[in-house]
Amino acid sequence: MMRNKPIFKDHFLLHKWSYLLGTILLIFSLVLQLFVPVLLKKFTDGLQNESIPVSDLWELSLWFVIVGLGAFLFRSSGRIYIFKMSRILERDLRSSLFSHWERLQAEYYQNQRIGNLMAHAVNDVNIMRQIVMQGYFQMVEAAVLISISVFMMASTINLYLTLLVLLPLPGLTYIAYRFRSKIQRHYKYKKRSGH
């Protein structure tokens, strides 16, 4: 059997600057997306008060186009960059797996099904690539959006109300962690018992 190694940690440390660049691109796209509600507020307030001139409408339209294109370009670039890094992880994992298989004795393969080995080489490695790509992207998106949203709520609405909104989050996080741990224990028990 292969020795347990911190696969993701080693991969992130080896390519930390590449992931940093992808993260910066994603952060730029998320910040630009947060300008959309500001532009919409200005537009709807002007329509409601009937105080927005035609020149301002053209200016707002131009800003909508600029923000939309900027968010699209940065988001696409960030996703493509992270997708590239996840493909590198997939390549390295397959290379490591095949190198390990080459070192095994012939007796090992007499007790293994070819289909199981192929599933490890194809399906399992592909799942790990998807975890890196989607997991990293969603983690960055959630962290940035939550941080900026909380800051904006506290500074523009009300600090006390913001704290009330955030109050249930630690409890929800703890419940989600306990639920995950329970599912993990149940899965390991089923796997050991052969059900």
Coordinates of all heavy atoms in Angstrom, one line a residue, residues 4-83:
N4 N 0.7 7.0 3.5 CA -0.1 8.2 3.5 C 0.7 9.4 3.5 O 1.6 9.6 4.2 CB -1.0 8.2 4.8 CG -2.0 7.1 4.8 OD1 -2.5 6.8 3.7 ND2 -2.4 6.6 6.0
K5 N 0.4 10.3 2.5 CA 1.1 11.6 2.4 C 0.1 12.7 2.3 O -1.0 12.6 1.7 CB 2.0 11.5 1.1 CG 3.1 10.5 1.2 CD 3.8 10.4 -0.2 CE 4.5 11.7 -0.6 NZ 5.2 11.6 -1.8
P6 N 0.5 13.9 2.8 CA -0.4 15.1 2.6 C -0.3 15.6 1.2 O 0.4 16.5 0.9 CB 0.2 16.1 3.6 CG 1.7 15.7 3.7 CD 1.7 14.2 3.5
I7 N -1.1 14.9 0.3 CA -1.1 15.2 -1.1 C -1.4 16.7 -1.4 O -0.6 17.3 -2.1 CB -2.0 14.3 -1.9 CG1 -1.6 12.8 -1.6 CG2 -2.1 14.6 -3.3 CD1 -2.6 11.8 -2.1
F8 N -2.5 17.1 -0.9 CA -2.9 18.5 -1.2 C -1.9 19.5 -0.7 O -1.6 20.5 -1.3 CB -4.3 18.8 -0.7 CG -5.4 18.0 -1.4 CD1 -6.3 17.2 -0.7 CD2 -5.5 18.0 -2.8 CE1 -7.3 16.5 -1.3 CE2 -6.4 17.2 -3.4 CZ -7.3 16.5 -2.7
K9 N -1.5 19.3 0.6 CA -0.5 20.2 1.2 C 0.7 20.4 0.4 O 1.2 21.5 0.1 CB -0.2 19.8 2.6 CG 0.7 20.7 3.4 CD 1.0 20.2 4.8 CE 2.0 21.0 5.5 NZ 2.3 20.5 6.8
D10 N 1.3 19.2 0.0 CA 2.6 19.2 -0.8 C 2.3 20.0 -2.1 O 3.2 20.7 -2.6 CB 3.1 17.8 -1.1 CG 3.6 17.2 0.2 OD1 3.8 17.9 1.2 OD2 3.8 16.0 0.2
H11 N 1.2 19.7 -2.8 CA 0.9 20.3 -4.1 C 0.7 21.8 -3.9 O 1.3 22.6 -4.7 CB -0.4 19.7 -4.6 CG -0.9 20.4 -5.9 ND1 -0.3 20.2 -7.1 CD2 -2.0 21.2 -6.1 CE1 -0.9 20.9 -8.0 NE2 -2.0 21.5 -7.4
F12 N 0.0 22.3 -2.9 CA -0.2 23.7 -2.7 C 1.1 24.4 -2.4 O 1.4 25.5 -2.9 CB -1.2 24.0 -1.6 CG -2.6 23.7 -2.0 CD1 -3.5 22.9 -1.3 CD2 -3.1 24.3 -3.2 CE1 -4.8 22.7 -1.7 CE2 -4.4 24.1 -3.6 CZ -5.3 23.3 -2.8
L13 N 2.0 23.8 -1.6 CA 3.2 24.4 -1.2 C 4.2 24.5 -2.4 O 4.9 25.5 -2.6 CB 3.9 23.6 -0.1 CG 3.3 23.7 1.3 CD1 4.0 22.8 2.3 CD2 3.3 25.2 1.8
L14 N 4.1 23.5 -3.3 CA 5.0 23.5 -4.4 C 4.6 24.5 -5.5 O 5.4 25.1 -6.1 CB 4.9 22.1 -5.1 CG 5.9 21.8 -6.3 CD1 7.3 22.0 -5.9 CD2 5.6 20.5 -6.9
H15 N 3.3 24.8 -5.6 CA 2.7 25.7 -6.6 C 2.1 26.9 -5.9 O 1.1 27.5 -6.4 CB 1.7 25.0 -7.5 CG 2.3 23.8 -8.2 ND1 3.1 23.9 -9.3 CD2 2.1 22.5 -7.9 CE1 3.4 22.7 -9.7 NE2 2.9 21.8 -8.9
K16 N 2.6 27.4 -4.7 CA 1.9 28.4 -4.0 C 1.8 29.7 -4.7 O 0.8 30.4 -4.6 CB 2.6 28.6 -2.6 CG 4.1 28.9 -2.7 CD 4.7 29.1 -1.3 CE 6.2 29.3 -1.3 NZ 7.0 28.2 -1.9
W17 N 2.8 30.1 -5.5 CA 2.8 31.4 -6.2 C 1.8 31.3 -7.3 O 1.1 32.3 -7.6 CB 4.2 31.7 -6.8 CG 5.2 31.9 -5.7 CD1 6.3 31.1 -5.5 CD2 5.2 32.8 -4.6 NE1 7.0 31.5 -4.3 CE2 6.3 32.6 -3.8 CE3 4.3 33.9 -4.3 CZ2 6.6 33.4 -2.7 CZ3 4.6 34.7 -3.2 CH2 5.7 34.4 -2.4
S18 N 1.6 30.2 -8.0 CA 0.6 30.0 -9.0 C -0.8 30.1 -8.4 O -1.7 30.8 -9.0 CB 0.8 28.7 -9.7 OG 2.1 28.6 -10.4
Y19 N -1.0 29.5 -7.3 CA -2.3 29.6 -6.6 C -2.6 31.0 -6.1 O -3.7 31.5 -6.1 CB -2.4 28.6 -5.5 CG -2.8 27.2 -5.9 CD1 -1.9 26.2 -6.1 CD2 -4.2 26.9 -6.3 CE1 -2.3 24.9 -6.5 CE2 -4.5 25.7 -6.7 CZ -3.6 24.7 -6.8 OH -4.0 23.4 -7.3
L20 N -1.5 31.7 -5.7 CA -1.7 33.1 -5.3 C -2.2 34.0 -6.4 O -3.1 34.8 -6.3 CB -0.4 33.6 -4.7 CG -0.4 35.1 -4.2 CD1 -1.4 35.2 -3.1 CD2 1.0 35.5 -3.8
L21 N -1.6 33.8 -7.6 CA -2.0 34.5 -8.8 C -3.5 34.2 -9.1 O -4.2 35.2 -9.4 CB -1.1 34.2 -10.0 CG -1.5 34.9 -11.3 CD1 -1.5 36.4 -11.1 CD2 -0.5 34.5 -12.4
G22 N -3.8 33.0 -9.1 CA -5.2 32.6 -9.4 C -6.2 33.2 -8.4 O -7.3 33.7 -8.7
T23 N -5.7 33.2 -7.1 CA -6.6 33.8 -6.0 C -6.8 35.3 -6.2 O -7.9 35.8 -6.1 CB -5.9 33.6 -4.7 OG1 -5.7 32.1 -4.5 CG2 -6.8 34.1 -3.5
I24 N -5.7 36.0 -6.6 CA -5.8 37.5 -6.8 C -6.7 37.8 -8.0 O -7.5 38.7 -7.9 CB -4.4 38.0 -7.1 CG1 -3.5 38.0 -5.8 CG2 -4.5 39.5 -7.6 CD1 -2.1 38.3 -6.1
L25 N -6.7 37.0 -9.1 CA -7.6 37.2 -10.2 C -9.0 37.0 -9.7 O -9.9 37.8 -10.1 CB -7.2 36.2 -11.3 CG -5.9 36.5 -12.0 CD1 -5.6 35.3 -13.0 CD2 -6.0 37.8 -12.8
L26 N -9.3 36.0 -8.9 CA -10.6 35.7 -8.4 C -11.1 36.8 -7.5 O -12.3 37.3 -7.6 CB -10.7 34.4 -7.7 CG -10.6 33.1 -8.5 CD1 -10.6 31.9 -7.6 CD2 -11.7 33.0 -9.5
I27 N -10.2 37.3 -6.7 CA -10.6 38.4 -5.8 C -11.0 39.7 -6.5 O -12.0 40.4 -6.2 CB -9.4 38.7 -4.8 CG1 -9.3 37.6 -3.8 CG2 -9.7 40.0 -4.0 CD1 -8.1 37.7 -2.9
F28 N -10.2 40.0 -7.6 CA -10.6 41.1 -8.4 C -12.0 41.0 -9.0 O -12.7 41.9 -9.1 CB -9.5 41.3 -9.6 CG -8.3 42.0 -9.1 CD1 -7.1 41.7 -9.8 CD2 -8.3 42.9 -8.1 CE1 -5.9 42.4 -9.4 CE2 -7.1 43.5 -7.6 CZ -5.9 43.2 -8.3
S29 N -12.3 39.8 -9.5 CA -13.6 39.6 -10.1 C -14.7 39.7 -9.1 O -15.8 40.3 -9.4 CB -13.6 38.2 -10.8 OG -13.7 37.1 -9.8
L30 N -14.5 39.2 -7.9 CA -15.5 39.3 -6.8 C -15.7 40.7 -6.4 O -16.8 41.2 -6.1 CB -15.1 38.4 -5.6 CG -15.0 36.9 -5.9 CD1 -14.4 36.2 -4.8 CD2 -16.4 36.4 -6.2
V31 N -14.6 41.5 -6.3 CA -14.8 42.9 -5.9 C -15.5 43.7 -6.9 O -16.4 44.5 -6.6 CB -13.4 43.5 -5.7 CG1 -13.5 45.1 -5.5 CG2 -12.7 42.9 -4.4
L32 N -15.3 43.4 -8.2 CA -16.0 44.1 -9.3 C -17.5 43.7 -9.2 O -18.4 44.5 -9.5 CB -15.4 43.7 -10.7 CG -14.1 44.4 -11.0 CD1 -13.5 43.8 -12.3 CD2 -14.3 45.9 -11.2
Q33 N -17.8 42.4 -8.9 CA -19.2 42.0 -8.8 C -19.9 42.8 -7.8 O -21.1 43.0 -7.9 CB -19.3 40.5 -8.5 CG -18.9 39.6 -9.7 CD -19.0 38.2 -9.3 OE1 -19.9 37.7 -8.7 NE2 -17.9 37.4 -9.7
L34 N -19.2 43.2 -6.7 CA -19.9 43.9 -5.6 C -20.2 45.3 -6.0 O -21.0 46.0 -5.3 CB -19.0 43.9 -4.4 CG -18.8 42.5 -3.7 CD1 -17.8 42.5 -2.6 CD2 -20.2 42.0 -3.2
F35 N -19.7 45.8 -7.1 CA -20.1 47.1 -7.6 C -21.4 47.1 -8.3 O -22.0 48.2 -8.4 CB -19.0 47.7 -8.6 CG -17.8 48.3 -7.9 CD1 -16.6 47.6 -7.8 CD2 -17.9 49.6 -7.3 CE1 -15.5 48.1 -7.1 CE2 -16.8 50.1 -6.7 CZ -15.6 49.4 -6.6
V36 N -21.9 46.0 -8.7 CA -23.2 45.9 -9.4 C -24.3 46.4 -8.5 O -25.1 47.2 -9.0 CB -23.4 44.5 -9.9 CG1 -24.8 44.4 -10.5 CG2 -22.4 44.1 -11.0
P37 N -24.5 46.0 -7.3 CA -25.6 46.5 -6.5 C -25.5 48.0 -6.3 O -26.5 48.7 -6.2 CB -25.4 45.8 -5.1 CG -24.6 44.5 -5.4 CD -23.7 44.9 -6.6
V38 N -24.3 48.6 -6.2 CA -24.1 50.0 -6.0 C -24.6 50.8 -7.3 O -25.3 51.8 -7.1 CB -22.6 50.4 -5.8 CG1 -22.4 51.9 -5.7 CG2 -22.1 49.7 -4.5
L39 N -24.3 50.2 -8.4 CA -24.8 50.8 -9.7 C -26.3 50.7 -9.8 O -27.0 51.6 -10.2 CB -24.1 50.2 -10.9 CG -22.6 50.4 -11.0 CD1 -22.0 49.6 -12.1 CD2 -22.3 51.9 -11.2
L40 N -26.8 49.5 -9.4 CA -28.3 49.4 -9.5 C -29.0 50.3 -8.5 O -30.1 50.8 -8.8 CB -28.6 47.9 -9.1 CG -28.4 46.9 -10.2 CD1 -28.6 45.5 -9.7 CD2 -29.3 47.1 -11.4
K41 N -28.4 50.5 -7.3 CA -29.0 51.4 -6.4 C -29.1 52.8 -6.9 O -30.1 53.5 -6.8 CB -28.2 51.4 -5.1 CG -28.7 52.4 -4.0 CD -27.8 52.3 -2.8 CE -28.4 53.3 -1.7 NZ -28.4 54.7 -2.1
K42 N -28.0 53.3 -7.5 CA -28.0 54.6 -8.1 C -29.0 54.7 -9.2 O -29.7 55.7 -9.4 CB -26.6 54.9 -8.6 CG -26.4 56.4 -9.1 CD -25.0 56.6 -9.5 CE -24.8 58.1 -9.9 NZ -23.4 58.4 -10.3
F43 N -29.1 53.7 -10.1 CA -30.1 53.7 -11.2 C -31.5 53.7 -10.7 O -32.3 54.5 -11.1 CB -29.8 52.5 -12.1 CG -30.8 52.3 -13.2 CD1 -30.8 53.1 -14.3 CD2 -31.7 51.3 -13.1 CE1 -31.7 53.0 -15.3 CE2 -32.6 51.1 -14.2 CZ -32.6 52.0 -15.3
T44 N -31.9 52.8 -9.8 CA -33.3 52.7 -9.3 C -33.6 54.0 -8.5 O -34.8 54.4 -8.6 CB -33.5 51.5 -8.4 OG1 -32.5 51.4 -7.4 CG2 -33.3 50.2 -9.3
D45 N -32.7 54.5 -7.7 CA -33.0 55.7 -6.9 C -33.3 56.9 -7.9 O -34.2 57.7 -7.7 CB -31.9 56.1 -6.0 CG -31.8 55.2 -4.8 OD1 -32.7 54.4 -4.6 OD2 -30.8 55.2 -4.1
G46 N -32.5 57.0 -9.0 CA -32.7 58.0 -9.9 C -34.1 57.9 -10.7 O -34.7 58.9 -10.9
L47 N -34.4 56.7 -11.0 CA -35.7 56.4 -11.6 C -36.9 56.8 -10.7 O -37.9 57.4 -11.1 CB -35.8 55.0 -12.1 CG -35.1 54.6 -13.4 CD1 -35.3 53.2 -13.7 CD2 -35.4 55.5 -14.6
Q48 N -36.7 56.3 -9.4 CA -37.8 56.6 -8.5 C -38.0 58.0 -8.2 O -39.2 58.5 -8.1 CB -37.5 55.8 -7.2 CG -38.6 55.9 -6.1 CD -38.3 55.1 -4.9 OE1 -37.2 54.6 -4.8 NE2 -39.3 54.9 -4.0
N49 N -36.9 58.8 -8.1 CA -37.0 60.2 -7.8 C -37.2 61.0 -9.1 O -37.4 62.3 -9.0 CB -35.8 60.7 -7.1 CG -35.6 60.0 -5.8 OD1 -36.6 59.6 -5.1 ND2 -34.3 59.8 -5.4
E50 N -37.1 60.4 -10.3 CA -37.2 61.0 -11.6 C -36.2 62.2 -11.7 O -36.5 63.3 -12.2 CB -38.7 61.6 -11.8 CG -39.7 60.4 -11.8 CD -41.1 61.0 -12.1 OE1 -41.3 62.2 -12.1 OE2 -42.0 60.1 -12.2
S51 N -35.0 61.9 -11.2 CA -34.0 63.0 -11.2 C -32.8 62.6 -11.9 O -31.7 63.3 -11.8 CB -33.6 63.3 -9.7 OG -33.1 62.1 -9.1
I52 N -32.8 61.5 -12.7 CA -31.6 61.0 -13.4 C -31.7 61.5 -14.8 O -32.6 61.2 -15.6 CB -31.5 59.5 -13.3 CG1 -30.2 59.0 -14.0 CG2 -32.7 58.8 -13.9 CD1 -29.9 57.6 -13.7
P53 N -30.7 62.3 -15.3 CA -30.7 62.8 -16.6 C -30.2 61.7 -17.6 O -29.7 60.7 -17.2 CB -29.7 64.0 -16.6 CG -28.8 63.7 -15.4 CD -29.6 62.9 -14.4
V54 N -30.4 61.9 -18.9 CA -30.0 61.0 -19.9 C -28.5 60.7 -19.9 O -28.1 59.6 -20.1 CB -30.5 61.4 -21.3 CG1 -30.1 60.5 -22.4 CG2 -32.1 61.6 -21.3
S55 N -27.8 61.8 -19.7 CA -26.3 61.7 -19.7 C -25.9 60.7 -18.6 O -24.9 59.9 -18.8 CB -25.7 63.0 -19.5 OG -26.1 63.6 -18.3
D56 N -26.5 60.8 -17.4 CA -26.2 59.8 -16.3 C -26.6 58.4 -16.7 O -25.9 57.5 -16.3 CB -26.9 60.3 -15.0 CG -26.2 61.5 -14.4 OD1 -25.2 61.9 -15.0 OD2 -26.7 62.0 -13.4
L57 N -27.6 58.2 -17.4 CA -28.0 56.9 -17.9 C -27.0 56.3 -18.8 O -26.6 55.1 -18.6 CB -29.4 56.9 -18.6 CG -30.6 57.1 -17.7 CD1 -31.9 57.2 -18.6 CD2 -30.8 55.9 -16.8
W58 N -26.5 57.1 -19.7 CA -25.4 56.6 -20.5 C -24.1 56.3 -19.7 O -23.4 55.3 -20.0 CB -25.1 57.6 -21.6 CG -26.1 57.6 -22.7 CD1 -27.0 58.6 -23.0 CD2 -26.2 56.6 -23.7 NE1 -27.7 58.3 -24.1 CE2 -27.3 57.0 -24.6 CE3 -25.6 55.4 -24.0 CZ2 -27.7 56.3 -25.7 CZ3 -26.1 54.6 -25.1 CH2 -27.1 55.1 -25.9
E59 N -23.8 57.1 -18.8 CA -22.7 56.9 -17.9 C -22.8 55.6 -17.1 O -21.9 54.8 -17.0 CB -22.4 58.0 -17.0 CG -21.2 57.9 -16.1 CD -21.0 59.1 -15.2 OE1 -21.7 60.1 -15.4 OE2 -20.2 59.0 -14.3
L60 N -24.0 55.4 -16.5 CA -24.3 54.1 -15.8 C -24.2 52.9 -16.7 O -23.7 51.9 -16.3 CB -25.7 54.2 -15.1 CG -25.8 55.0 -13.8 CD1 -27.2 55.1 -13.4 CD2 -24.9 54.3 -12.7
S61 N -24.8 53.0 -17.9 CA -24.7 51.9 -18.8 C -23.2 51.5 -19.1 O -22.9 50.4 -19.2 CB -25.4 52.3 -20.1 OG -26.8 52.6 -19.9
L62 N -22.4 52.6 -19.3 CA -21.0 52.3 -19.6 C -20.3 51.6 -18.4 O -19.5 50.7 -18.6 CB -20.3 53.7 -19.9 CG -18.8 53.6 -20.2 CD1 -18.5 52.7 -21.4 CD2 -18.2 55.0 -20.4
W63 N -20.7 52.1 -17.2 CA -20.1 51.4 -16.0 C -20.5 50.0 -15.8 O -19.8 49.1 -15.4 CB -20.4 52.2 -14.7 CG -19.5 53.4 -14.5 CD1 -19.8 54.7 -14.6 CD2 -18.1 53.3 -14.2 NE1 -18.6 55.5 -14.3 CE2 -17.6 54.6 -14.1 CE3 -17.2 52.2 -14.0 CZ2 -16.3 54.9 -13.8 CZ3 -15.9 52.5 -13.7 CH2 -15.4 53.8 -13.6
F64 N -21.8 49.7 -16.2 CA -22.3 48.3 -16.2 C -21.5 47.5 -17.1 O -21.1 46.3 -16.8 CB -23.8 48.3 -16.5 CG -24.7 48.4 -15.4 CD1 -25.6 49.5 -15.3 CD2 -24.7 47.5 -14.3 CE1 -26.4 49.7 -14.2 CE2 -25.6 47.6 -13.3 CZ -26.4 48.7 -13.2
V65 N -21.2 48.0 -18.3 CA -20.4 47.2 -19.3 C -19.0 47.0 -18.8 O -18.5 45.9 -18.9 CB -20.4 48.0 -20.6 CG1 -19.5 47.3 -21.6 CG2 -21.8 48.0 -21.2
I66 N -18.4 48.1 -18.2 CA -17.0 47.9 -17.8 C -16.9 46.9 -16.6 O -16.0 46.1 -16.6 CB -16.5 49.3 -17.3 CG1 -16.3 50.2 -18.5 CG2 -15.2 49.2 -16.6 CD1 -16.0 51.7 -18.2
V67 N -17.8 47.1 -15.6 CA -17.8 46.1 -14.5 C -18.1 44.7 -14.9 O -17.4 43.8 -14.5 CB -18.8 46.6 -13.4 CG1 -19.0 45.5 -12.4 CG2 -18.4 47.9 -12.8
G68 N -19.1 44.5 -15.8 CA -19.4 43.2 -16.3 C -18.2 42.5 -17.1 O -17.9 41.4 -16.8
L69 N -17.6 43.3 -18.0 CA -16.5 42.7 -18.7 C -15.3 42.5 -17.8 O -14.6 41.4 -18.0 CB -16.1 43.7 -19.8 CG -17.0 43.8 -21.1 CD1 -16.5 44.9 -22.0 CD2 -17.0 42.4 -21.8
G70 N -15.0 43.4 -16.9 CA -13.9 43.2 -16.0 C -14.1 41.9 -15.1 O -13.2 41.1 -14.9
A71 N -15.3 41.8 -14.5 CA -15.6 40.6 -13.7 C -15.5 39.3 -14.5 O -15.0 38.3 -14.0 CB -17.0 40.8 -13.1
F72 N -16.0 39.4 -15.8 CA -16.0 38.2 -16.6 C -14.5 37.8 -16.9 O -14.1 36.6 -16.8 CB -16.7 38.5 -17.9 CG -16.5 37.4 -19.0 CD1 -17.1 36.2 -18.9 CD2 -15.7 37.7 -20.1 CE1 -16.9 35.2 -19.8 CE2 -15.4 36.7 -21.0 CZ -16.0 35.5 -20.9
L73 N -13.7 38.8 -17.3 CA -12.3 38.5 -17.6 C -11.5 38.0 -16.5 O -10.8 37.0 -16.6 CB -11.6 39.8 -18.2 CG -12.1 40.2 -19.6 CD1 -11.5 41.5 -20.0 CD2 -11.8 39.1 -20.6
F74 N -11.6 38.7 -15.3 CA -10.9 38.2 -14.1 C -11.4 36.9 -13.6 O -10.5 36.0 -13.3 CB -11.0 39.3 -13.0 CG -10.1 40.5 -13.2 CD1 -10.6 41.7 -13.3 CD2 -8.7 40.3 -13.3 CE1 -9.8 42.8 -13.5 CE2 -7.9 41.4 -13.4 CZ -8.4 42.7 -13.6
R75 N -12.7 36.7 -13.6 CA -13.2 35.4 -13.2 C -12.8 34.2 -14.1 O -12.4 33.2 -13.6 CB -14.7 35.5 -13.1 CG -15.4 34.3 -12.4 CD -16.9 34.5 -12.3 NE -17.6 33.4 -11.7 CZ -17.8 33.3 -10.4 NH1 -17.4 34.2 -9.6 NH2 -18.4 32.2 -9.9
S76 N -12.9 34.5 -15.4 CA -12.5 33.4 -16.3 C -11.1 33.1 -16.2 O -10.7 31.9 -16.2 CB -12.9 33.9 -17.8 OG -14.3 34.1 -17.9
S77 N -10.2 34.2 -16.1 CA -8.8 33.9 -16.0 C -8.4 33.2 -14.7 O -7.6 32.2 -14.8 CB -8.0 35.3 -16.0 OG -8.3 36.0 -17.2
G78 N -9.1 33.5 -13.6 CA -8.8 32.8 -12.4 C -9.2 31.4 -12.4 O -8.5 30.5 -12.0
R79 N -10.4 31.1 -13.0 CA -10.9 29.7 -13.1 C -10.0 28.9 -14.0 O -9.7 27.8 -13.7 CB -12.3 29.7 -13.6 CG -13.4 30.1 -12.6 CD -14.8 30.0 -13.2 NE -15.1 28.6 -13.4 CZ -15.8 27.8 -12.5 NH1 -16.2 28.4 -11.3 NH2 -16.0 26.6 -12.7
I80 N -9.6 29.5 -15.1 CA -8.7 28.8 -16.1 C -7.4 28.5 -15.4 O -6.8 27.4 -15.5 CB -8.5 29.6 -17.4 CG1 -9.8 29.6 -18.2 CG2 -7.4 29.0 -18.2 CD1 -9.8 30.6 -19.4
Y81 N -6.9 29.4 -14.6 CA -5.6 29.2 -14.0 C -5.7 28.1 -12.9 O -4.8 27.3 -12.8 CB -5.2 30.6 -13.3 CG -3.7 30.7 -13.3 CD1 -3.0 31.3 -14.4 CD2 -2.9 30.3 -12.2 CE1 -1.6 31.5 -14.4 CE2 -1.5 30.5 -12.2 CZ -0.9 31.1 -13.3 OH 0.5 31.2 -13.3
I82 N -6.7 28.1 -12.1 CA -6.9 27.1 -11.1 C -7.2 25.8 -11.7 O -6.7 24.7 -11.3 CB -8.0 27.5 -10.1 CG1 -7.6 28.7 -9.3 CG2 -8.4 26.3 -9.2 CD1 -8.6 29.3 -8.4
F83 N -7.9 25.8 -12.9 CA -8.2 24.5 -13.6 C -6.8 23.9 -14.1 O -6.6 22.7 -14.0 CB -9.1 24.8 -14.8 CG -9.4 23.6 -15.6 CD1 -10.4 22.7 -15.2 CD2 -8.8 23.3 -16.8 CE1 -10.7 21.6 -15.9 CE2 -9.1 22.2 -17.6 CZ -10.0 21.3 -17.1

